[in-house]
Amino acid sequence: MGKPLGNTGEFFRRRDEWRKHPMLTNQFRHAFPGLGIAVVAFSIYCVGEFAYNKMSTPSHSTSASHSH
C-alpha cells in the first residue's frame, strides 16, 4: 500500500475484519463436512454395481430356455 491509512482508514479496516472471520469464509465447503467423500463413495458403488450387473447378467437365450 502506498499511502498510510490514517485514522479513518484504520477505523474502517477494523470495522470490516468480521468479513474475514473463518466462520464466514468457505461456508459451502464446511456446510456439509462429509459430502465430498460420500459423493465419491456413492459414485464408486454405482460404477461397481453397473459393472457387476453387466458381467453377471445371463444372456437372453439361456433365461428364455428355462421352462417348468
Side-chain angles (χ1 to χ4, degrees), residues 9-68:
E10 185 68 30
F11 171 77
F12 285 113
R13 189 173 70 176
R14 280 187 274 126
R15 293 284 301 232
D16 286 340
E17 283 181 1
W18 66 272
R19 297 176 196 264
K20 296 180 181 119
H21 193 273
M23 289 291 286
L24 298 174
T25 56
N26 296 326
Q27 285 180 352
F28 296 110
R29 194 169 80 181
H30 298 296
F32 304 103
L35 183 64
I37 294 172
V39 167
V40 169
F42 184 70
S43 300
I44 291 172
Y45 167 76
C46 288
V47 167
E49 185 181 17
F50 179 77
Y52 175 77
N53 287 338
K54 201 73 163 165
M55 289 188 295
S56 67
T57 316
S59 64
H60 294 293
S61 62
T62 57
S63 62
S65 65
H66 292 194
S67 60
H68 290 79

